[in-house]
Amino acid sequence: MISLTELDDDTVRSMSIGAVFSDFGGKINSVDFHRKDDLLVTASEDNSVRLYDIASAKLLKTTYHKKHGTDRICFTHHPSSVICSSVYHLDSTGESLRYLSLYDNRCLRYFKGHKDKVVSLCMSPINDSFMSSSLDHSIRIWDLRVNACQGILHLRGRPTVAYDQQGLVFAVAMEGGAIKLFDSRSYDKGPFDTFLVGGDTAEVCDIKFSNDGKSMLLTTTSNNIYVLDAYGGDKRCGFSLEPSPSTTIEATFTPDGQYVVSGSGDGTLHAWNINMQNELSSIDDYENDSTHSELISWVEVSCWNSHIGIASCLKWAPRRAMFVAASTVLTFWIPDSSKPTVDPRPMDTEGAAPSEHVPQQ
């Protein structure tokens, strides 16, 4: 695979499907890469957790969790253990989160507290702390070594949470477009900064920091994407994608922070170079435009047919020139040196070929 030092517009534009996994028994709910090893984990509606080697594009292991189900998932620091949120029996057992060993298919610990569905889950990059947010309007801070919740924040709406890449700060997106920043060592003192993202009343369904900590990426339930300055909260750029009323989409930074890749409600995938500003209208122009024309203020590098419908999960690998997109099918996207590098053109997704027509590697 190409190293990240070689990532440029032509490489991004050449991305194409290199492997397909289509044996899931339902929608893939979430995916996560291990920070240091070439591993990917998925959680899906068929109650399975699946572990992949991304260097060889091979499925390593599948475990099933029919009692609790599988929804949000993230790796711990150990490559064979994950945290997974539950789907079933939240009212009766309260076992909303489980610490799982994929090596021997054991539950190492239950974490009780959330009374409703967990909608975001993230592991601290520096220690054994992790955070979860839920439709019960709370964010909980946990420690892998302890059953009991270590801290709780009660917030309005559907809160979404993410650590920065240094683990020193976490961000909370909440109702009304407010983004609150907390010191992860003293969150009990309240946020040290608050941003208001005006112009979009939709709830934020995903938030990510760039690796350098300078930018935040927000995805809303109305399929608008915003890149914010993580220090001042200013909007750097924004993109408006086709709606998908019953499915949330996901967007991702590349590890160098130069590109944003996202799914869309029309079954396409898009990539933008966020360091090259287009002369088209800015995000502020969009908010003042009553017609709400297409919101693209930075250079679109490419547009692809996903071949899998609406990609509800999309993440770029932390150490590779590779990303994954998933719906009910999982696809690995890698650079194709034989692909001509031409300017992007929207691709028709009507009658798109089934994913099985792409050879599996």
PDB file of all heavy atoms in Angstrom, residues 135-172:
ATOM      1  N   LEU A 135     -28.646   8.537  23.660  1.00  0.00           N
ATOM      2  CA  LEU A 135     -29.920   9.223  23.498  1.00  0.00           C
ATOM      3  C   LEU A 135     -30.594   9.511  24.834  1.00  0.00           C
ATOM      4  O   LEU A 135     -31.637  10.176  24.869  1.00  0.00           O
ATOM      5  CB  LEU A 135     -30.856   8.387  22.619  1.00  0.00           C
ATOM      6  CG  LEU A 135     -30.413   8.188  21.164  1.00  0.00           C
ATOM      7  CD1 LEU A 135     -31.421   7.308  20.419  1.00  0.00           C
ATOM      8  CD2 LEU A 135     -30.230   9.519  20.455  1.00  0.00           C
ATOM      9  N   ASP A 136     -30.005   9.024  25.939  1.00  0.00           N
ATOM     10  CA  ASP A 136     -30.533   9.387  27.258  1.00  0.00           C
ATOM     11  C   ASP A 136     -30.011  10.751  27.710  1.00  0.00           C
ATOM     12  O   ASP A 136     -30.155  11.128  28.869  1.00  0.00           O
ATOM     13  CB  ASP A 136     -30.215   8.300  28.303  1.00  0.00           C
ATOM     14  CG  ASP A 136     -28.718   8.139  28.571  1.00  0.00           C
ATOM     15  OD1 ASP A 136     -27.913   8.963  28.088  1.00  0.00           O
ATOM     16  OD2 ASP A 136     -28.349   7.179  29.268  1.00  0.00           O
ATOM     17  N   HIS A 137     -29.403  11.512  26.767  1.00  0.00           N
ATOM     18  CA  HIS A 137     -28.932  12.892  26.992  1.00  0.00           C
ATOM     19  C   HIS A 137     -27.753  12.945  27.963  1.00  0.00           C
ATOM     20  O   HIS A 137     -27.587  13.930  28.678  1.00  0.00           O
ATOM     21  CB  HIS A 137     -30.059  13.797  27.504  1.00  0.00           C
ATOM     22  CG  HIS A 137     -31.353  13.649  26.772  1.00  0.00           C
ATOM     23  ND1 HIS A 137     -31.470  13.899  25.418  1.00  0.00           N
ATOM     24  CD2 HIS A 137     -32.577  13.231  27.181  1.00  0.00           C
ATOM     25  CE1 HIS A 137     -32.719  13.665  25.038  1.00  0.00           C
ATOM     26  NE2 HIS A 137     -33.405  13.256  26.078  1.00  0.00           N
ATOM     27  N   SER A 138     -26.932  11.917  27.970  1.00  0.00           N
ATOM     28  CA  SER A 138     -25.770  11.930  28.856  1.00  0.00           C
ATOM     29  C   SER A 138     -24.518  11.493  28.118  1.00  0.00           C
ATOM     30  O   SER A 138     -24.581  10.760  27.131  1.00  0.00           O
ATOM     31  CB  SER A 138     -25.991  11.011  30.071  1.00  0.00           C
ATOM     32  OG  SER A 138     -25.892   9.645  29.701  1.00  0.00           O
ATOM     33  N   ILE A 139     -23.389  11.979  28.627  1.00  0.00           N
ATOM     34  CA  ILE A 139     -22.066  11.493  28.230  1.00  0.00           C
ATOM     35  C   ILE A 139     -21.432  10.899  29.469  1.00  0.00           C
ATOM     36  O   ILE A 139     -21.446  11.509  30.546  1.00  0.00           O
ATOM     37  CB  ILE A 139     -21.200  12.626  27.663  1.00  0.00           C
ATOM     38  CG1 ILE A 139     -21.722  13.054  26.292  1.00  0.00           C
ATOM     39  CG2 ILE A 139     -19.727  12.205  27.571  1.00  0.00           C
ATOM     40  CD1 ILE A 139     -21.032  14.258  25.721  1.00  0.00           C
ATOM     41  N   ARG A 140     -20.895   9.714  29.336  1.00  0.00           N
ATOM     42  CA  ARG A 140     -20.266   9.035  30.467  1.00  0.00           C
ATOM     43  C   ARG A 140     -18.798   8.779  30.164  1.00  0.00           C
ATOM     44  O   ARG A 140     -18.436   8.414  29.041  1.00  0.00           O
ATOM     45  CB  ARG A 140     -21.000   7.731  30.795  1.00  0.00           C
ATOM     46  CG  ARG A 140     -22.392   7.975  31.381  1.00  0.00           C
ATOM     47  CD  ARG A 140     -23.143   6.680  31.668  1.00  0.00           C
ATOM     48  NE  ARG A 140     -24.452   6.956  32.236  1.00  0.00           N
ATOM     49  CZ  ARG A 140     -24.747   6.944  33.532  1.00  0.00           C
ATOM     50  NH1 ARG A 140     -23.790   6.638  34.421  1.00  0.00           N
ATOM     51  NH2 ARG A 140     -25.967   7.219  33.963  1.00  0.00           N
ATOM     52  N   ILE A 141     -17.988   8.983  31.185  1.00  0.00           N
ATOM     53  CA  ILE A 141     -16.546   8.723  31.111  1.00  0.00           C
ATOM     54  C   ILE A 141     -16.264   7.464  31.912  1.00  0.00           C
ATOM     55  O   ILE A 141     -16.744   7.315  33.048  1.00  0.00           O
ATOM     56  CB  ILE A 141     -15.735   9.912  31.659  1.00  0.00           C
ATOM     57  CG1 ILE A 141     -15.967  11.166  30.803  1.00  0.00           C
ATOM     58  CG2 ILE A 141     -14.242   9.574  31.683  1.00  0.00           C
ATOM     59  CD1 ILE A 141     -17.029  12.096  31.293  1.00  0.00           C
ATOM     60  N   TRP A 142     -15.511   6.550  31.305  1.00  0.00           N
ATOM     61  CA  TRP A 142     -15.256   5.246  31.887  1.00  0.00           C
ATOM     62  C   TRP A 142     -13.765   4.951  31.943  1.00  0.00           C
ATOM     63  O   TRP A 142     -12.967   5.621  31.288  1.00  0.00           O
ATOM     64  CB  TRP A 142     -15.925   4.140  31.057  1.00  0.00           C
ATOM     65  CG  TRP A 142     -17.352   4.366  30.686  1.00  0.00           C
ATOM     66  CD1 TRP A 142     -17.823   5.054  29.608  1.00  0.00           C
ATOM     67  CD2 TRP A 142     -18.521   3.893  31.384  1.00  0.00           C
ATOM     68  NE1 TRP A 142     -19.203   5.038  29.582  1.00  0.00           N
ATOM     69  CE2 TRP A 142     -19.658   4.324  30.658  1.00  0.00           C
ATOM     70  CE3 TRP A 142     -18.722   3.121  32.538  1.00  0.00           C
ATOM     71  CZ2 TRP A 142     -20.964   4.029  31.043  1.00  0.00           C
ATOM     72  CZ3 TRP A 142     -20.020   2.818  32.922  1.00  0.00           C
ATOM     73  CH2 TRP A 142     -21.117   3.265  32.179  1.00  0.00           C
ATOM     74  N   ASP A 143     -13.431   3.908  32.708  1.00  0.00           N
ATOM     75  CA  ASP A 143     -12.080   3.365  32.735  1.00  0.00           C
ATOM     76  C   ASP A 143     -12.198   1.861  32.496  1.00  0.00           C
ATOM     77  O   ASP A 143     -13.009   1.192  33.145  1.00  0.00           O
ATOM     78  CB  ASP A 143     -11.410   3.644  34.085  1.00  0.00           C
ATOM     79  CG  ASP A 143      -9.928   3.288  34.110  1.00  0.00           C
ATOM     80  OD1 ASP A 143      -9.587   2.141  33.754  1.00  0.00           O
ATOM     81  OD2 ASP A 143      -9.109   4.132  34.507  1.00  0.00           O
ATOM     82  N   LEU A 144     -11.405   1.334  31.557  1.00  0.00           N
ATOM     83  CA  LEU A 144     -11.496  -0.091  31.233  1.00  0.00           C
ATOM     84  C   LEU A 144     -11.304  -0.997  32.440  1.00  0.00           C
ATOM     85  O   LEU A 144     -11.800  -2.120  32.476  1.00  0.00           O
ATOM     86  CB  LEU A 144     -10.431  -0.457  30.182  1.00  0.00           C
ATOM     87  CG  LEU A 144     -10.708  -0.062  28.730  1.00  0.00           C
ATOM     88  CD1 LEU A 144      -9.494  -0.414  27.874  1.00  0.00           C
ATOM     89  CD2 LEU A 144     -11.960  -0.735  28.211  1.00  0.00           C
ATOM     90  N   ARG A 145     -10.578  -0.507  33.444  1.00  0.00           N
ATOM     91  CA  ARG A 145     -10.213  -1.344  34.592  1.00  0.00           C
ATOM     92  C   ARG A 145     -11.275  -1.349  35.683  1.00  0.00           C
ATOM     93  O   ARG A 145     -11.157  -2.105  36.664  1.00  0.00           O
ATOM     94  CB  ARG A 145      -8.881  -0.852  35.170  1.00  0.00           C
ATOM     95  CG  ARG A 145      -7.737  -0.891  34.167  1.00  0.00           C
ATOM     96  CD  ARG A 145      -6.573  -0.034  34.602  1.00  0.00           C
ATOM     97  NE  ARG A 145      -6.931   1.380  34.622  1.00  0.00           N
ATOM     98  CZ  ARG A 145      -6.075   2.365  34.923  1.00  0.00           C
ATOM     99  NH1 ARG A 145      -4.824   2.068  35.210  1.00  0.00           N
ATOM    100  NH2 ARG A 145      -6.484   3.616  34.922  1.00  0.00           N
ATOM    101  N   VAL A 146     -12.312  -0.510  35.534  1.00  0.00           N
ATOM    102  CA  VAL A 146     -13.295  -0.328  36.608  1.00  0.00           C
ATOM    103  C   VAL A 146     -14.702  -0.424  36.035  1.00  0.00           C
ATOM    104  O   VAL A 146     -14.995   0.172  34.990  1.00  0.00           O
ATOM    105  CB  VAL A 146     -13.113   1.048  37.296  1.00  0.00           C
ATOM    106  CG1 VAL A 146     -14.082   1.201  38.454  1.00  0.00           C
ATOM    107  CG2 VAL A 146     -11.674   1.242  37.758  1.00  0.00           C
ATOM    108  N   ASN A 147     -15.586  -1.139  36.702  1.00  0.00           N
ATOM    109  CA  ASN A 147     -16.967  -1.262  36.229  1.00  0.00           C
ATOM    110  C   ASN A 147     -17.732   0.049  36.292  1.00  0.00           C
ATOM    111  O   ASN A 147     -18.543   0.361  35.413  1.00  0.00           O
ATOM    112  CB  ASN A 147     -17.717  -2.303  37.069  1.00  0.00           C
ATOM    113  CG  ASN A 147     -17.194  -3.705  36.860  1.00  0.00           C
ATOM    114  OD1 ASN A 147     -16.090  -4.027  37.301  1.00  0.00           O
ATOM    115  ND2 ASN A 147     -17.967  -4.552  36.198  1.00  0.00           N
ATOM    116  N   ALA A 148     -17.514   0.802  37.352  1.00  0.00           N
ATOM    117  CA  ALA A 148     -18.330   1.989  37.612  1.00  0.00           C
ATOM    118  C   ALA A 148     -17.964   3.145  36.695  1.00  0.00           C
ATOM    119  O   ALA A 148     -16.793   3.329  36.329  1.00  0.00           O
ATOM    120  CB  ALA A 148     -18.178   2.421  39.073  1.00  0.00           C
ATOM    121  N   CYS A 149     -18.970   3.925  36.339  1.00  0.00           N
ATOM    122  CA  CYS A 149     -18.768   5.144  35.568  1.00  0.00           C
ATOM    123  C   CYS A 149     -17.902   6.127  36.363  1.00  0.00           C
ATOM    124  O   CYS A 149     -18.113   6.330  37.564  1.00  0.00           O
ATOM    125  CB  CYS A 149     -20.128   5.757  35.252  1.00  0.00           C
ATOM    126  SG  CYS A 149     -20.070   7.329  34.413  1.00  0.00           S
ATOM    127  N   GLN A 150     -16.931   6.748  35.701  1.00  0.00           N
ATOM    128  CA  GLN A 150     -16.004   7.661  36.366  1.00  0.00           C
ATOM    129  C   GLN A 150     -16.473   9.114  36.345  1.00  0.00           C
ATOM    130  O   GLN A 150     -15.977   9.945  37.100  1.00  0.00           O
ATOM    131  CB  GLN A 150     -14.621   7.565  35.716  1.00  0.00           C
ATOM    132  CG  GLN A 150     -14.042   6.159  35.731  1.00  0.00           C
ATOM    133  CD  GLN A 150     -13.828   5.638  37.136  1.00  0.00           C
ATOM    134  OE1 GLN A 150     -12.993   6.144  37.880  1.00  0.00           O
ATOM    135  NE2 GLN A 150     -14.619   4.640  37.522  1.00  0.00           N
ATOM    136  N   GLY A 151     -17.412   9.409  35.469  1.00  0.00           N
ATOM    137  CA  GLY A 151     -17.925  10.775  35.377  1.00  0.00           C
ATOM    138  C   GLY A 151     -19.089  10.838  34.420  1.00  0.00           C
ATOM    139  O   GLY A 151     -19.227   9.986  33.522  1.00  0.00           O
ATOM    140  N   ILE A 152     -19.943  11.815  34.609  1.00  0.00           N
ATOM    141  CA  ILE A 152     -21.131  11.933  33.760  1.00  0.00           C
ATOM    142  C   ILE A 152     -21.433  13.399  33.493  1.00  0.00           C
ATOM    143  O   ILE A 152     -21.288  14.260  34.385  1.00  0.00           O
ATOM    144  CB  ILE A 152     -22.350  11.226  34.415  1.00  0.00           C
ATOM    145  CG1 ILE A 152     -23.565  11.276  33.493  1.00  0.00           C
ATOM    146  CG2 ILE A 152     -22.669  11.815  35.779  1.00  0.00           C
ATOM    147  CD1 ILE A 152     -24.700  10.377  33.925  1.00  0.00           C
ATOM    148  N   LEU A 153     -21.826  13.692  32.265  1.00  0.00           N
ATOM    149  CA  LEU A 153     -22.257  15.025  31.865  1.00  0.00           C
ATOM    150  C   LEU A 153     -23.674  14.901  31.324  1.00  0.00           C
ATOM    151  O   LEU A 153     -23.949  14.065  30.458  1.00  0.00           O
ATOM    152  CB  LEU A 153     -21.344  15.589  30.771  1.00  0.00           C
ATOM    153  CG  LEU A 153     -19.863  15.738  31.100  1.00  0.00           C
ATOM    154  CD1 LEU A 153     -19.072  16.095  29.844  1.00  0.00           C
ATOM    155  CD2 LEU A 153     -19.662  16.817  32.161  1.00  0.00           C
ATOM    156  N   HIS A 154     -24.590  15.711  31.842  1.00  0.00           N
ATOM    157  CA  HIS A 154     -25.972  15.721  31.364  1.00  0.00           C
ATOM    158  C   HIS A 154     -26.145  16.896  30.408  1.00  0.00           C
ATOM    159  O   HIS A 154     -25.853  18.046  30.760  1.00  0.00           O
ATOM    160  CB  HIS A 154     -26.940  15.849  32.545  1.00  0.00           C
ATOM    161  CG  HIS A 154     -26.937  14.649  33.441  1.00  0.00           C
ATOM    162  ND1 HIS A 154     -27.554  13.458  33.100  1.00  0.00           N
ATOM    163  CD2 HIS A 154     -26.384  14.451  34.670  1.00  0.00           C
ATOM    164  CE1 HIS A 154     -27.388  12.583  34.069  1.00  0.00           C
ATOM    165  NE2 HIS A 154     -26.674  13.151  35.035  1.00  0.00           N
ATOM    166  N   LEU A 155     -26.613  16.591  29.193  1.00  0.00           N
ATOM    167  CA  LEU A 155     -26.677  17.592  28.141  1.00  0.00           C
ATOM    168  C   LEU A 155     -28.006  17.515  27.415  1.00  0.00           C
ATOM    169  O   LEU A 155     -28.748  16.541  27.542  1.00  0.00           O
ATOM    170  CB  LEU A 155     -25.536  17.367  27.143  1.00  0.00           C
ATOM    171  CG  LEU A 155     -24.119  17.440  27.741  1.00  0.00           C
ATOM    172  CD1 LEU A 155     -23.121  16.790  26.808  1.00  0.00           C
ATOM    173  CD2 LEU A 155     -23.732  18.878  28.010  1.00  0.00           C
ATOM    174  N   ARG A 156     -28.311  18.552  26.634  1.00  0.00           N
ATOM    175  CA  ARG A 156     -29.544  18.579  25.853  1.00  0.00           C
ATOM    176  C   ARG A 156     -29.374  17.782  24.559  1.00  0.00           C
ATOM    177  O   ARG A 156     -28.284  17.682  23.997  1.00  0.00           O
ATOM    178  CB  ARG A 156     -29.920  20.024  25.500  1.00  0.00           C
ATOM    179  CG  ARG A 156     -30.114  20.945  26.680  1.00  0.00           C
ATOM    180  CD  ARG A 156     -30.681  22.281  26.217  1.00  0.00           C
ATOM    181  NE  ARG A 156     -29.941  22.832  25.092  1.00  0.00           N
ATOM    182  CZ  ARG A 156     -28.870  23.603  25.209  1.00  0.00           C
ATOM    183  NH1 ARG A 156     -28.385  23.885  26.413  1.00  0.00           N
ATOM    184  NH2 ARG A 156     -28.268  24.076  24.141  1.00  0.00           N
ATOM    185  N   GLY A 157     -30.467  17.229  24.081  1.00  0.00           N
ATOM    186  CA  GLY A 157     -30.493  16.629  22.755  1.00  0.00           C
ATOM    187  C   GLY A 157     -29.693  15.349  22.647  1.00  0.00           C
ATOM    188  O   GLY A 157     -29.554  14.576  23.596  1.00  0.00           O
ATOM    189  N   ARG A 158     -29.143  15.141  21.463  1.00  0.00           N
ATOM    190  CA  ARG A 158     -28.377  13.942  21.112  1.00  0.00           C
ATOM    191  C   ARG A 158     -26.897  14.308  21.145  1.00  0.00           C
ATOM    192  O   ARG A 158     -26.323  14.727  20.147  1.00  0.00           O
ATOM    193  CB  ARG A 158     -28.779  13.493  19.702  1.00  0.00           C
ATOM    194  CG  ARG A 158     -28.068  12.269  19.163  1.00  0.00           C
ATOM    195  CD  ARG A 158     -28.317  12.157  17.663  1.00  0.00           C
ATOM    196  NE  ARG A 158     -27.935  10.884  17.095  1.00  0.00           N
ATOM    197  CZ  ARG A 158     -26.702  10.561  16.713  1.00  0.00           C
ATOM    198  NH1 ARG A 158     -25.721  11.426  16.875  1.00  0.00           N
ATOM    199  NH2 ARG A 158     -26.457   9.377  16.184  1.00  0.00           N
ATOM    200  N   PRO A 159     -26.224  14.135  22.270  1.00  0.00           N
ATOM    201  CA  PRO A 159     -24.819  14.548  22.339  1.00  0.00           C
ATOM    202  C   PRO A 159     -23.899  13.594  21.581  1.00  0.00           C
ATOM    203  O   PRO A 159     -24.154  12.388  21.503  1.00  0.00           O
ATOM    204  CB  PRO A 159     -24.519  14.516  23.840  1.00  0.00           C
ATOM    205  CG  PRO A 159     -25.469  13.499  24.394  1.00  0.00           C
ATOM    206  CD  PRO A 159     -26.705  13.585  23.551  1.00  0.00           C
ATOM    207  N   THR A 160     -22.864  14.155  20.997  1.00  0.00           N
ATOM    208  CA  THR A 160     -21.849  13.381  20.292  1.00  0.00           C
ATOM    209  C   THR A 160     -20.488  13.813  20.827  1.00  0.00           C
ATOM    210  O   THR A 160     -20.279  14.985  21.117  1.00  0.00           O
ATOM    211  CB  THR A 160     -21.932  13.639  18.778  1.00  0.00           C
ATOM    212  OG1 THR A 160     -23.257  13.350  18.329  1.00  0.00           O
ATOM    213  CG2 THR A 160     -20.953  12.791  18.014  1.00  0.00           C
ATOM    214  N   VAL A 161     -19.553  12.870  20.953  1.00  0.00           N
ATOM    215  CA  VAL A 161     -18.319  13.159  21.663  1.00  0.00           C
ATOM    216  C   VAL A 161     -17.118  12.603  20.915  1.00  0.00           C
ATOM    217  O   VAL A 161     -17.223  11.605  20.192  1.00  0.00           O
ATOM    218  CB  VAL A 161     -18.383  12.583  23.101  1.00  0.00           C
ATOM    219  CG1 VAL A 161     -18.414  11.069  23.080  1.00  0.00           C
ATOM    220  CG2 VAL A 161     -17.265  13.103  23.979  1.00  0.00           C
ATOM    221  N   ALA A 162     -15.956  13.261  21.065  1.00  0.00           N
ATOM    222  CA  ALA A 162     -14.711  12.777  20.450  1.00  0.00           C
ATOM    223  C   ALA A 162     -13.519  13.341  21.199  1.00  0.00           C
ATOM    224  O   ALA A 162     -13.531  14.493  21.648  1.00  0.00           O
ATOM    225  CB  ALA A 162     -14.636  13.192  18.983  1.00  0.00           C
ATOM    226  N   TYR A 163     -12.484  12.530  21.350  1.00  0.00           N
ATOM    227  CA  TYR A 163     -11.190  12.989  21.860  1.00  0.00           C
ATOM    228  C   TYR A 163     -10.381  13.596  20.724  1.00  0.00           C
ATOM    229  O   TYR A 163     -10.486  13.168  19.560  1.00  0.00           O
ATOM    230  CB  TYR A 163     -10.376  11.816  22.406  1.00  0.00           C
ATOM    231  CG  TYR A 163     -10.753  11.309  23.772  1.00  0.00           C
ATOM    232  CD1 TYR A 163     -11.463  10.123  23.912  1.00  0.00           C
ATOM    233  CD2 TYR A 163     -10.371  11.989  24.928  1.00  0.00           C
ATOM    234  CE1 TYR A 163     -11.791   9.620  25.170  1.00  0.00           C
ATOM    235  CE2 TYR A 163     -10.694  11.501  26.185  1.00  0.00           C
ATOM    236  CZ  TYR A 163     -11.399  10.317  26.298  1.00  0.00           C
ATOM    237  OH  TYR A 163     -11.723   9.833  27.545  1.00  0.00           O
ATOM    238  N   ASP A 164      -9.507  14.557  21.071  1.00  0.00           N
ATOM    239  CA  ASP A 164      -8.492  14.961  20.106  1.00  0.00           C
ATOM    240  C   ASP A 164      -7.409  13.885  20.077  1.00  0.00           C
ATOM    241  O   ASP A 164      -7.388  12.962  20.895  1.00  0.00           O
ATOM    242  CB  ASP A 164      -7.935  16.345  20.424  1.00  0.00           C
ATOM    243  CG  ASP A 164      -6.939  16.348  21.588  1.00  0.00           C
ATOM    244  OD1 ASP A 164      -6.972  15.432  22.427  1.00  0.00           O
ATOM    245  OD2 ASP A 164      -6.145  17.298  21.674  1.00  0.00           O
ATOM    246  N   GLN A 165      -6.494  13.973  19.115  1.00  0.00           N
ATOM    247  CA  GLN A 165      -5.528  12.898  18.908  1.00  0.00           C
ATOM    248  C   GLN A 165      -4.459  12.818  19.996  1.00  0.00           C
ATOM    249  O   GLN A 165      -3.738  11.832  20.098  1.00  0.00           O
ATOM    250  CB  GLN A 165      -4.856  13.063  17.537  1.00  0.00           C
ATOM    251  CG  GLN A 165      -5.813  12.928  16.374  1.00  0.00           C
ATOM    252  CD  GLN A 165      -6.507  11.581  16.339  1.00  0.00           C
ATOM    253  OE1 GLN A 165      -5.887  10.549  16.566  1.00  0.00           O
ATOM    254  NE2 GLN A 165      -7.810  11.577  16.064  1.00  0.00           N
ATOM    255  N   GLN A 166      -4.359  13.856  20.813  1.00  0.00           N
ATOM    256  CA  GLN A 166      -3.417  13.824  21.935  1.00  0.00           C
ATOM    257  C   GLN A 166      -4.081  13.379  23.235  1.00  0.00           C
ATOM    258  O   GLN A 166      -3.404  13.191  24.245  1.00  0.00           O
ATOM    259  CB  GLN A 166      -2.772  15.210  22.124  1.00  0.00           C
ATOM    260  CG  GLN A 166      -1.794  15.590  21.014  1.00  0.00           C
ATOM    261  CD  GLN A 166      -2.482  15.885  19.706  1.00  0.00           C
ATOM    262  OE1 GLN A 166      -3.503  16.571  19.656  1.00  0.00           O
ATOM    263  NE2 GLN A 166      -1.934  15.360  18.623  1.00  0.00           N
ATOM    264  N   GLY A 167      -5.395  13.236  23.233  1.00  0.00           N
ATOM    265  CA  GLY A 167      -6.120  12.793  24.402  1.00  0.00           C
ATOM    266  C   GLY A 167      -6.236  13.829  25.504  1.00  0.00           C
ATOM    267  O   GLY A 167      -6.681  13.519  26.612  1.00  0.00           O
ATOM    268  N   LEU A 168      -5.874  15.055  25.225  1.00  0.00           N
ATOM    269  CA  LEU A 168      -5.892  16.103  26.244  1.00  0.00           C
ATOM    270  C   LEU A 168      -7.211  16.860  26.273  1.00  0.00           C
ATOM    271  O   LEU A 168      -7.586  17.441  27.292  1.00  0.00           O
ATOM    272  CB  LEU A 168      -4.741  17.090  26.004  1.00  0.00           C
ATOM    273  CG  LEU A 168      -3.334  16.484  25.995  1.00  0.00           C
ATOM    274  CD1 LEU A 168      -2.299  17.552  25.665  1.00  0.00           C
ATOM    275  CD2 LEU A 168      -3.032  15.824  27.335  1.00  0.00           C
ATOM    276  N   VAL A 169      -7.918  16.842  25.170  1.00  0.00           N
ATOM    277  CA  VAL A 169      -9.161  17.609  25.021  1.00  0.00           C
ATOM    278  C   VAL A 169     -10.222  16.677  24.444  1.00  0.00           C
ATOM    279  O   VAL A 169      -9.914  15.803  23.628  1.00  0.00           O
ATOM    280  CB  VAL A 169      -8.951  18.813  24.080  1.00  0.00           C
ATOM    281  CG1 VAL A 169     -10.276  19.496  23.740  1.00  0.00           C
ATOM    282  CG2 VAL A 169      -7.978  19.809  24.696  1.00  0.00           C
ATOM    283  N   PHE A 170     -11.460  16.836  24.881  1.00  0.00           N
ATOM    284  CA  PHE A 170     -12.551  16.188  24.153  1.00  0.00           C
ATOM    285  C   PHE A 170     -13.615  17.226  23.819  1.00  0.00           C
ATOM    286  O   PHE A 170     -13.789  18.230  24.525  1.00  0.00           O
ATOM    287  CB  PHE A 170     -13.125  14.977  24.900  1.00  0.00           C
ATOM    288  CG  PHE A 170     -13.835  15.242  26.200  1.00  0.00           C
ATOM    289  CD1 PHE A 170     -15.162  15.644  26.220  1.00  0.00           C
ATOM    290  CD2 PHE A 170     -13.178  15.065  27.412  1.00  0.00           C
ATOM    291  CE1 PHE A 170     -15.833  15.855  27.422  1.00  0.00           C
ATOM    292  CE2 PHE A 170     -13.829  15.269  28.617  1.00  0.00           C
ATOM    293  CZ  PHE A 170     -15.161  15.667  28.629  1.00  0.00           C
ATOM    294  N   ALA A 171     -14.292  16.972  22.700  1.00  0.00           N
ATOM    295  CA  ALA A 171     -15.321  17.878  22.207  1.00  0.00           C
ATOM    296  C   ALA A 171     -16.680  17.217  22.323  1.00  0.00           C
ATOM    297  O   ALA A 171     -16.820  16.009  22.103  1.00  0.00           O
ATOM    298  CB  ALA A 171     -15.049  18.256  20.749  1.00  0.00           C
ATOM    299  N   VAL A 172     -17.677  18.012  22.666  1.00  0.00           N
ATOM    300  CA  VAL A 172     -19.055  17.546  22.768  1.00  0.00           C
ATOM    301  C   VAL A 172     -19.918  18.407  21.855  1.00  0.00           C
ATOM    302  O   VAL A 172     -19.916  19.640  21.972  1.00  0.00           O
ATOM    303  CB  VAL A 172     -19.575  17.640  24.215  1.00  0.00           C
ATOM    304  CG1 VAL A 172     -21.047  17.276  24.269  1.00  0.00           C
ATOM    305  CG2 VAL A 172     -18.766  16.757  25.144  1.00  0.00           C
TER     306      VAL A 172
END
